[in-house]
Amino acid sequence: MSRRADQTRYHVDGDLVPREAATVSVDDRGFRYGDAAFETMRAYGGEVFEWDRHAARIERTCEALGMPDAVPEDLPVRVAETLDANDLRDAAVEVSVTRGVQPGSLTPREAVDPTVVVRVRALPRGGLDGEAVWDGPAVVQSVRTRRVPDAALPADARTHNCLNGILARLELRRARTDSHRPDEALLRDVHGNVAEGATSNVFFVEAGTLRTPEPGDLRPGVTREVVLDLADGESFPVETGRYDLDDVRDADEAFLTGSTWEIRPVESVDGIAVGGGPVTALLRRLYDERVEARCY
Amino acid sequence: MSRRADQTRYHVDGDLVPREAATVSVDDRGFRYGDAAFETMRAYGGEVFEWDRHAARIERTCEALGMPDAVPEDLPVRVAETLDANDLRDAAVEVSVTRGVQPGSLTPREAVDPTVVVRVRALPRGGLDGEAVWDGPAVVQSVRTRRVPDAALPADARTHNCLNGILARLELRRARTDSHRPDEALLRDVHGNVAEGATSNVFFVEAGTLRTPEPGDLRPGVTREVVLDLADGESFPVETGRYDLDDVRDADEAFLTGSTWEIRPVESVDGIAVGGGPVTALLRRLYDERVEARCY
């Protein structure tokens, strides 16, 4: 698509603007320091799925960053306006709330004039009649890059500091061969426990029990919470704990979760076949039903 | 100063532009992910001090970020043009090299069209006839936030992912009273060893020996290297090692280093008086002499 033909509009600081005019100052702390909250959501049929959980998390992130009043009250309106302006009902929605332009030093000023950006891009329909956004099951590769500990950056905060995941994904380049094309990096914490994917949480099934690393140094995603809800509703045995790579490699089933990917089966971990299975399939079905019931 | 009166010009993507027009796309990975190299330098008399070390580090950072060819060959020219356009000879100089605008996901594309930004701001003259940029010795407060480990983000890389230092500085708000006004946060690594300040390296003197934490999880700054050079030239006993908070609190002298602060004595750590002393004073003198000899 040529730039001229691009009709995409973003919401920047209260205004809908063409994508090519959607900019921030180089003095904005969101650019300069990654000093901003970030939230990725998914809209189905014009409705943001799990809005309340996402809205609560972006509030928590802003609180963790010492700017508790930064989220604009009309954020839901801005999101709706951005979807409408782009004539989108099924889309990825990304919200940034930065600490705004401030002069000088790393130390933030108390008074905050946040910069708020809403971006959208088209996704296929979801729900029972939907299609997955991924081409196939995930090929997962464990990497050397370790998850940033919660003691250094609060694990629950979603921000513009994303280099940890980027460095993990860059390692996949080196692991790639003609027969092995990993597309998600699996990070361990500094102690060697499995933490999460670069942009996903990980679940696996062993002896009929659904397992996922316990919160701590991982980022407990909204989709992870939904999956735990769904498993609870089915009275599945669920265990959260500390696991090593072999636990995931040897699992009967494994899948990744994220707002955009939803529930994505894992084909292999470090070249070892894992695959989906009946638990993964049932949870995907239940997830699609919830999307259908809530949004379409 | 009103916005209208602001004549500051920045260098953005090859052009000198007024500050209010200095922007980047919200799709720039430097904004979205903090996916960018960053370098702070100081110019004295129109010359960037220790240019070679800074240039080498920005190259290393870009290599660590998987974009080894991102630094433009004419970067020194862009820096000189920015100083000239602002009629500045004594200034802080900040360079950003981002991975540029890329569509879609966290995984970087191999082809990189970097965004390069050069910003400057006036500082007082340095060297023997200069004045310090800080108001007085540093009041240092140790914080709970731990330094991001090297295994999660390479310690030597300077990037737009600065939340670790920002969260450390935010903790100073809570520590502030009428009589105790800390202005630098001291971070420990995840093992509890003293690492560095939010934007500085730390040195201290004990029983005549100059001590500083060894590289590992700290960011070995250019000014730290210069100080080690100067101490070596004077045949000072120097030791790098692992230290705890008490080692710094109980020191005979302590100081912080950074390109902008140069060598800044420490008044106190956690309310415990430390202060400068003859070693700090001599190193400051030697530093000023080097600046004078190289730049004026």
PDB file of all heavy atoms in Angstrom, chain B residues 57-88:
ATOM      1  N   ARG B  57      30.949   3.344  22.096  1.00  0.00           N
ATOM      2  CA  ARG B  57      29.860   2.758  22.870  1.00  0.00           C
ATOM      3  C   ARG B  57      28.544   2.772  22.118  1.00  0.00           C
ATOM      4  O   ARG B  57      27.763   1.810  22.189  1.00  0.00           O
ATOM      5  CB  ARG B  57      29.697   3.442  24.225  1.00  0.00           C
ATOM      6  CG  ARG B  57      28.722   2.650  25.105  1.00  0.00           C
ATOM      7  CD  ARG B  57      28.710   3.130  26.530  1.00  0.00           C
ATOM      8  NE  ARG B  57      28.300   4.518  26.587  1.00  0.00           N
ATOM      9  CZ  ARG B  57      28.381   5.260  27.678  1.00  0.00           C
ATOM     10  NH1 ARG B  57      28.860   4.749  28.795  1.00  0.00           N
ATOM     11  NH2 ARG B  57      27.994   6.518  27.663  1.00  0.00           N
ATOM     12  N   ILE B  58      28.274   3.835  21.369  1.00  0.00           N
ATOM     13  CA  ILE B  58      27.009   3.855  20.630  1.00  0.00           C
ATOM     14  C   ILE B  58      27.034   2.773  19.544  1.00  0.00           C
ATOM     15  O   ILE B  58      26.011   2.124  19.282  1.00  0.00           O
ATOM     16  CB  ILE B  58      26.688   5.274  20.095  1.00  0.00           C
ATOM     17  CG1 ILE B  58      25.205   5.401  19.802  1.00  0.00           C
ATOM     18  CG2 ILE B  58      27.517   5.656  18.906  1.00  0.00           C
ATOM     19  CD1 ILE B  58      24.737   6.834  19.628  1.00  0.00           C
ATOM     20  N   GLU B  59      28.220   2.514  18.987  1.00  0.00           N
ATOM     21  CA  GLU B  59      28.352   1.396  18.043  1.00  0.00           C
ATOM     22  C   GLU B  59      28.071   0.060  18.750  1.00  0.00           C
ATOM     23  O   GLU B  59      27.363  -0.797  18.225  1.00  0.00           O
ATOM     24  CB  GLU B  59      29.763   1.354  17.433  1.00  0.00           C
ATOM     25  CG  GLU B  59      30.073   2.473  16.445  1.00  0.00           C
ATOM     26  CD  GLU B  59      29.435   2.259  15.074  1.00  0.00           C
ATOM     27  OE1 GLU B  59      28.838   1.192  14.845  1.00  0.00           O
ATOM     28  OE2 GLU B  59      29.513   3.190  14.245  1.00  0.00           O
ATOM     29  N   ARG B  60      28.646  -0.101  19.951  1.00  0.00           N
ATOM     30  CA  ARG B  60      28.433  -1.354  20.686  1.00  0.00           C
ATOM     31  C   ARG B  60      26.965  -1.532  21.039  1.00  0.00           C
ATOM     32  O   ARG B  60      26.421  -2.633  20.965  1.00  0.00           O
ATOM     33  CB  ARG B  60      29.255  -1.366  21.985  1.00  0.00           C
ATOM     34  CG  ARG B  60      30.751  -1.523  21.789  1.00  0.00           C
ATOM     35  CD  ARG B  60      31.442  -1.998  23.085  1.00  0.00           C
ATOM     36  NE  ARG B  60      31.219  -1.132  24.230  1.00  0.00           N
ATOM     37  CZ  ARG B  60      31.917  -0.032  24.506  1.00  0.00           C
ATOM     38  NH1 ARG B  60      32.876   0.371  23.697  1.00  0.00           N
ATOM     39  NH2 ARG B  60      31.655   0.680  25.587  1.00  0.00           N
ATOM     40  N   THR B  61      26.313  -0.422  21.432  1.00  0.00           N
ATOM     41  CA  THR B  61      24.893  -0.524  21.760  1.00  0.00           C
ATOM     42  C   THR B  61      24.094  -0.976  20.533  1.00  0.00           C
ATOM     43  O   THR B  61      23.251  -1.878  20.621  1.00  0.00           O
ATOM     44  CB  THR B  61      24.348   0.828  22.265  1.00  0.00           C
ATOM     45  OG1 THR B  61      25.033   1.184  23.464  1.00  0.00           O
ATOM     46  CG2 THR B  61      22.853   0.754  22.551  1.00  0.00           C
ATOM     47  N   CYS B  62      24.360  -0.352  19.395  1.00  0.00           N
ATOM     48  CA  CYS B  62      23.616  -0.727  18.187  1.00  0.00           C
ATOM     49  C   CYS B  62      23.888  -2.178  17.805  1.00  0.00           C
ATOM     50  O   CYS B  62      22.987  -2.880  17.342  1.00  0.00           O
ATOM     51  CB  CYS B  62      23.947   0.222  17.030  1.00  0.00           C
ATOM     52  SG  CYS B  62      23.184   1.852  17.226  1.00  0.00           S
ATOM     53  N   GLU B  63      25.125  -2.636  18.016  1.00  0.00           N
ATOM     54  CA  GLU B  63      25.417  -4.048  17.760  1.00  0.00           C
ATOM     55  C   GLU B  63      24.620  -4.943  18.701  1.00  0.00           C
ATOM     56  O   GLU B  63      24.041  -5.943  18.281  1.00  0.00           O
ATOM     57  CB  GLU B  63      26.905  -4.332  17.952  1.00  0.00           C
ATOM     58  CG  GLU B  63      27.690  -4.262  16.658  1.00  0.00           C
ATOM     59  CD  GLU B  63      29.183  -4.334  16.902  1.00  0.00           C
ATOM     60  OE1 GLU B  63      29.623  -5.211  17.673  1.00  0.00           O
ATOM     61  OE2 GLU B  63      29.893  -3.486  16.330  1.00  0.00           O
ATOM     62  N   ALA B  64      24.583  -4.570  19.972  1.00  0.00           N
ATOM     63  CA  ALA B  64      23.836  -5.372  20.952  1.00  0.00           C
ATOM     64  C   ALA B  64      22.356  -5.425  20.595  1.00  0.00           C
ATOM     65  O   ALA B  64      21.674  -6.405  20.878  1.00  0.00           O
ATOM     66  CB  ALA B  64      24.018  -4.788  22.354  1.00  0.00           C
ATOM     67  N   LEU B  65      21.869  -4.354  19.933  1.00  0.00           N
ATOM     68  CA  LEU B  65      20.459  -4.312  19.549  1.00  0.00           C
ATOM     69  C   LEU B  65      20.233  -4.932  18.166  1.00  0.00           C
ATOM     70  O   LEU B  65      19.127  -4.854  17.619  1.00  0.00           O
ATOM     71  CB  LEU B  65      19.939  -2.873  19.562  1.00  0.00           C
ATOM     72  CG  LEU B  65      19.998  -2.129  20.900  1.00  0.00           C
ATOM     73  CD1 LEU B  65      19.277  -0.789  20.800  1.00  0.00           C
ATOM     74  CD2 LEU B  65      19.401  -2.955  22.035  1.00  0.00           C
ATOM     75  N   GLY B  66      21.277  -5.537  17.599  1.00  0.00           N
ATOM     76  CA  GLY B  66      21.101  -6.231  16.316  1.00  0.00           C
ATOM     77  C   GLY B  66      20.928  -5.286  15.144  1.00  0.00           C
ATOM     78  O   GLY B  66      20.286  -5.641  14.158  1.00  0.00           O
ATOM     79  N   MET B  67      21.486  -4.076  15.254  1.00  0.00           N
ATOM     80  CA  MET B  67      21.453  -3.146  14.107  1.00  0.00           C
ATOM     81  C   MET B  67      22.841  -2.504  13.968  1.00  0.00           C
ATOM     82  O   MET B  67      23.000  -1.304  14.170  1.00  0.00           O
ATOM     83  CB  MET B  67      20.333  -2.108  14.258  1.00  0.00           C
ATOM     84  CG  MET B  67      20.235  -1.413  15.610  1.00  0.00           C
ATOM     85  SD  MET B  67      18.867  -0.177  15.589  1.00  0.00           S
ATOM     86  CE  MET B  67      19.203   0.705  17.123  1.00  0.00           C
ATOM     87  N   PRO B  68      23.836  -3.353  13.593  1.00  0.00           N
ATOM     88  CA  PRO B  68      25.233  -2.906  13.648  1.00  0.00           C
ATOM     89  C   PRO B  68      25.563  -1.758  12.697  1.00  0.00           C
ATOM     90  O   PRO B  68      26.546  -1.055  12.914  1.00  0.00           O
ATOM     91  CB  PRO B  68      26.021  -4.167  13.277  1.00  0.00           C
ATOM     92  CG  PRO B  68      25.059  -5.046  12.567  1.00  0.00           C
ATOM     93  CD  PRO B  68      23.717  -4.755  13.158  1.00  0.00           C
ATOM     94  N   ASP B  69      24.752  -1.551  11.652  1.00  0.00           N
ATOM     95  CA  ASP B  69      25.077  -0.501  10.678  1.00  0.00           C
ATOM     96  C   ASP B  69      24.198   0.740  10.839  1.00  0.00           C
ATOM     97  O   ASP B  69      24.109   1.575   9.935  1.00  0.00           O
ATOM     98  CB  ASP B  69      24.913  -1.055   9.251  1.00  0.00           C
ATOM     99  CG  ASP B  69      25.765  -2.302   9.045  1.00  0.00           C
ATOM    100  OD1 ASP B  69      26.928  -2.295   9.492  1.00  0.00           O
ATOM    101  OD2 ASP B  69      25.259  -3.281   8.452  1.00  0.00           O
ATOM    102  N   ALA B  70      23.567   0.868  12.005  1.00  0.00           N
ATOM    103  CA  ALA B  70      22.571   1.942  12.149  1.00  0.00           C
ATOM    104  C   ALA B  70      23.187   3.322  12.363  1.00  0.00           C
ATOM    105  O   ALA B  70      22.580   4.328  12.015  1.00  0.00           O
ATOM    106  CB  ALA B  70      21.624   1.606  13.304  1.00  0.00           C
ATOM    107  N   VAL B  71      24.393   3.383  12.943  1.00  0.00           N
ATOM    108  CA  VAL B  71      24.975   4.698  13.244  1.00  0.00           C
ATOM    109  C   VAL B  71      25.449   5.349  11.940  1.00  0.00           C
ATOM    110  O   VAL B  71      26.253   4.767  11.223  1.00  0.00           O
ATOM    111  CB  VAL B  71      26.153   4.571  14.224  1.00  0.00           C
ATOM    112  CG1 VAL B  71      26.707   5.949  14.565  1.00  0.00           C
ATOM    113  CG2 VAL B  71      25.726   3.836  15.487  1.00  0.00           C
ATOM    114  N   PRO B  72      24.954   6.549  11.631  1.00  0.00           N
ATOM    115  CA  PRO B  72      25.361   7.180  10.374  1.00  0.00           C
ATOM    116  C   PRO B  72      26.830   7.597  10.421  1.00  0.00           C
ATOM    117  O   PRO B  72      27.324   8.022  11.463  1.00  0.00           O
ATOM    118  CB  PRO B  72      24.443   8.398  10.266  1.00  0.00           C
ATOM    119  CG  PRO B  72      24.027   8.697  11.660  1.00  0.00           C
ATOM    120  CD  PRO B  72      24.011   7.384  12.396  1.00  0.00           C
ATOM    121  N   GLU B  73      27.512   7.455   9.272  1.00  0.00           N
ATOM    122  CA  GLU B  73      28.943   7.805   9.218  1.00  0.00           C
ATOM    123  C   GLU B  73      29.174   9.276   9.543  1.00  0.00           C
ATOM    124  O   GLU B  73      30.217   9.643  10.064  1.00  0.00           O
ATOM    125  CB  GLU B  73      29.500   7.493   7.824  1.00  0.00           C
ATOM    126  CG  GLU B  73      29.854   6.030   7.653  1.00  0.00           C
ATOM    127  CD  GLU B  73      30.465   5.757   6.287  1.00  0.00           C
ATOM    128  OE1 GLU B  73      31.041   6.690   5.687  1.00  0.00           O
ATOM    129  OE2 GLU B  73      30.347   4.612   5.824  1.00  0.00           O
ATOM    130  N   ASP B  74      28.196  10.104   9.200  1.00  0.00           N
ATOM    131  CA  ASP B  74      28.392  11.544   9.404  1.00  0.00           C
ATOM    132  C   ASP B  74      27.879  12.014  10.761  1.00  0.00           C
ATOM    133  O   ASP B  74      27.609  13.202  10.939  1.00  0.00           O
ATOM    134  CB  ASP B  74      27.708  12.330   8.275  1.00  0.00           C
ATOM    135  CG  ASP B  74      26.189  12.234   8.345  1.00  0.00           C
ATOM    136  OD1 ASP B  74      25.686  11.324   9.043  1.00  0.00           O
ATOM    137  OD2 ASP B  74      25.505  13.061   7.715  1.00  0.00           O
ATOM    138  N   LEU B  75      27.783  11.098  11.725  1.00  0.00           N
ATOM    139  CA  LEU B  75      27.282  11.511  13.043  1.00  0.00           C
ATOM    140  C   LEU B  75      28.090  12.679  13.635  1.00  0.00           C
ATOM    141  O   LEU B  75      27.497  13.632  14.157  1.00  0.00           O
ATOM    142  CB  LEU B  75      27.247  10.314  14.000  1.00  0.00           C
ATOM    143  CG  LEU B  75      26.672  10.594  15.392  1.00  0.00           C
ATOM    144  CD1 LEU B  75      25.241  11.108  15.312  1.00  0.00           C
ATOM    145  CD2 LEU B  75      26.726   9.336  16.267  1.00  0.00           C
ATOM    146  N   PRO B  76      29.442  12.664  13.555  1.00  0.00           N
ATOM    147  CA  PRO B  76      30.179  13.815  14.103  1.00  0.00           C
ATOM    148  C   PRO B  76      29.790  15.128  13.429  1.00  0.00           C
ATOM    149  O   PRO B  76      29.741  16.183  14.081  1.00  0.00           O
ATOM    150  CB  PRO B  76      31.643  13.475  13.822  1.00  0.00           C
ATOM    151  CG  PRO B  76      31.685  12.016  13.512  1.00  0.00           C
ATOM    152  CD  PRO B  76      30.331  11.618  13.020  1.00  0.00           C
ATOM    153  N   VAL B  77      29.502  15.071  12.127  1.00  0.00           N
ATOM    154  CA  VAL B  77      29.099  16.279  11.406  1.00  0.00           C
ATOM    155  C   VAL B  77      27.748  16.758  11.926  1.00  0.00           C
ATOM    156  O   VAL B  77      27.540  17.957  12.163  1.00  0.00           O
ATOM    157  CB  VAL B  77      29.024  15.992   9.884  1.00  0.00           C
ATOM    158  CG1 VAL B  77      28.508  17.222   9.135  1.00  0.00           C
ATOM    159  CG2 VAL B  77      30.378  15.542   9.360  1.00  0.00           C
ATOM    160  N   ARG B  78      26.816  15.812  12.127  1.00  0.00           N
ATOM    161  CA  ARG B  78      25.487  16.202  12.631  1.00  0.00           C
ATOM    162  C   ARG B  78      25.598  16.844  14.014  1.00  0.00           C
ATOM    163  O   ARG B  78      24.899  17.806  14.324  1.00  0.00           O
ATOM    164  CB  ARG B  78      24.564  14.982  12.698  1.00  0.00           C
ATOM    165  CG  ARG B  78      24.305  14.362  11.336  1.00  0.00           C
ATOM    166  CD  ARG B  78      23.209  13.308  11.404  1.00  0.00           C
ATOM    167  NE  ARG B  78      23.237  12.451  10.221  1.00  0.00           N
ATOM    168  CZ  ARG B  78      22.226  11.720   9.789  1.00  0.00           C
ATOM    169  NH1 ARG B  78      21.085  11.708  10.450  1.00  0.00           N
ATOM    170  NH2 ARG B  78      22.342  10.973   8.712  1.00  0.00           N
ATOM    171  N   VAL B  79      26.465  16.278  14.858  1.00  0.00           N
ATOM    172  CA  VAL B  79      26.651  16.858  16.200  1.00  0.00           C
ATOM    173  C   VAL B  79      27.219  18.275  16.076  1.00  0.00           C
ATOM    174  O   VAL B  79      26.713  19.217  16.714  1.00  0.00           O
ATOM    175  CB  VAL B  79      27.581  15.958  17.047  1.00  0.00           C
ATOM    176  CG1 VAL B  79      28.006  16.673  18.321  1.00  0.00           C
ATOM    177  CG2 VAL B  79      26.886  14.638  17.378  1.00  0.00           C
ATOM    178  N   ALA B  80      28.246  18.452  15.234  1.00  0.00           N
ATOM    179  CA  ALA B  80      28.854  19.775  15.071  1.00  0.00           C
ATOM    180  C   ALA B  80      27.841  20.775  14.513  1.00  0.00           C
ATOM    181  O   ALA B  80      27.770  21.929  14.960  1.00  0.00           O
ATOM    182  CB  ALA B  80      30.074  19.674  14.155  1.00  0.00           C
ATOM    183  N   GLU B  81      27.049  20.328  13.539  1.00  0.00           N
ATOM    184  CA  GLU B  81      26.037  21.213  12.951  1.00  0.00           C
ATOM    185  C   GLU B  81      25.000  21.636  13.992  1.00  0.00           C
ATOM    186  O   GLU B  81      24.519  22.776  13.981  1.00  0.00           O
ATOM    187  CB  GLU B  81      25.318  20.502  11.800  1.00  0.00           C
ATOM    188  CG  GLU B  81      26.142  20.423  10.513  1.00  0.00           C
ATOM    189  CD  GLU B  81      25.441  19.632   9.403  1.00  0.00           C
ATOM    190  OE1 GLU B  81      24.332  19.085   9.659  1.00  0.00           O
ATOM    191  OE2 GLU B  81      26.004  19.553   8.300  1.00  0.00           O
ATOM    192  N   THR B  82      24.658  20.724  14.883  1.00  0.00           N
ATOM    193  CA  THR B  82      23.650  21.050  15.890  1.00  0.00           C
ATOM    194  C   THR B  82      24.202  22.058  16.894  1.00  0.00           C
ATOM    195  O   THR B  82      23.507  23.008  17.289  1.00  0.00           O
ATOM    196  CB  THR B  82      23.164  19.774  16.613  1.00  0.00           C
ATOM    197  OG1 THR B  82      22.925  18.752  15.654  1.00  0.00           O
ATOM    198  CG2 THR B  82      21.892  20.037  17.390  1.00  0.00           C
ATOM    199  N   LEU B  83      25.439  21.865  17.315  1.00  0.00           N
ATOM    200  CA  LEU B  83      26.066  22.844  18.208  1.00  0.00           C
ATOM    201  C   LEU B  83      26.135  24.209  17.522  1.00  0.00           C
ATOM    202  O   LEU B  83      25.760  25.233  18.099  1.00  0.00           O
ATOM    203  CB  LEU B  83      27.472  22.375  18.608  1.00  0.00           C
ATOM    204  CG  LEU B  83      27.526  21.188  19.587  1.00  0.00           C
ATOM    205  CD1 LEU B  83      28.932  20.596  19.642  1.00  0.00           C
ATOM    206  CD2 LEU B  83      27.076  21.620  20.986  1.00  0.00           C
ATOM    207  N   ASP B  84      26.584  24.226  16.249  1.00  0.00           N
ATOM    208  CA  ASP B  84      26.709  25.489  15.512  1.00  0.00           C
ATOM    209  C   ASP B  84      25.356  26.180  15.362  1.00  0.00           C
ATOM    210  O   ASP B  84      25.236  27.394  15.563  1.00  0.00           O
ATOM    211  CB  ASP B  84      27.294  25.239  14.108  1.00  0.00           C
ATOM    212  CG  ASP B  84      28.785  24.948  14.169  1.00  0.00           C
ATOM    213  OD1 ASP B  84      29.383  25.120  15.252  1.00  0.00           O
ATOM    214  OD2 ASP B  84      29.347  24.539  13.135  1.00  0.00           O
ATOM    215  N   ALA B  85      24.343  25.398  14.994  1.00  0.00           N
ATOM    216  CA  ALA B  85      23.030  25.995  14.732  1.00  0.00           C
ATOM    217  C   ALA B  85      22.449  26.646  15.984  1.00  0.00           C
ATOM    218  O   ALA B  85      21.614  27.545  15.896  1.00  0.00           O
ATOM    219  CB  ALA B  85      22.068  24.931  14.201  1.00  0.00           C
ATOM    220  N   ASN B  86      22.898  26.159  17.149  1.00  0.00           N
ATOM    221  CA  ASN B  86      22.412  26.729  18.413  1.00  0.00           C
ATOM    222  C   ASN B  86      23.431  27.673  19.042  1.00  0.00           C
ATOM    223  O   ASN B  86      23.242  28.126  20.168  1.00  0.00           O
ATOM    224  CB  ASN B  86      22.056  25.595  19.382  1.00  0.00           C
ATOM    225  CG  ASN B  86      20.843  24.817  18.924  1.00  0.00           C
ATOM    226  OD1 ASN B  86      19.719  25.266  19.094  1.00  0.00           O
ATOM    227  ND2 ASN B  86      21.070  23.663  18.300  1.00  0.00           N
ATOM    228  N   ASP B  87      24.512  27.903  18.285  1.00  0.00           N
ATOM    229  CA  ASP B  87      25.559  28.830  18.754  1.00  0.00           C
ATOM    230  C   ASP B  87      26.077  28.416  20.129  1.00  0.00           C
ATOM    231  O   ASP B  87      26.269  29.246  21.012  1.00  0.00           O
ATOM    232  CB  ASP B  87      24.979  30.266  18.793  1.00  0.00           C
ATOM    233  CG  ASP B  87      26.092  31.301  18.647  1.00  0.00           C
ATOM    234  OD1 ASP B  87      27.211  30.929  18.234  1.00  0.00           O
ATOM    235  OD2 ASP B  87      25.838  32.479  18.964  1.00  0.00           O
ATOM    236  N   LEU B  88      26.266  27.115  20.292  1.00  0.00           N
ATOM    237  CA  LEU B  88      26.700  26.571  21.587  1.00  0.00           C
ATOM    238  C   LEU B  88      28.102  25.991  21.480  1.00  0.00           C
ATOM    239  O   LEU B  88      28.405  25.269  20.527  1.00  0.00           O
ATOM    240  CB  LEU B  88      25.745  25.456  22.037  1.00  0.00           C
ATOM    241  CG  LEU B  88      24.394  25.880  22.584  1.00  0.00           C
ATOM    242  CD1 LEU B  88      23.543  24.643  22.886  1.00  0.00           C
ATOM    243  CD2 LEU B  88      24.555  26.713  23.847  1.00  0.00           C
TER     244      LEU B  88
END
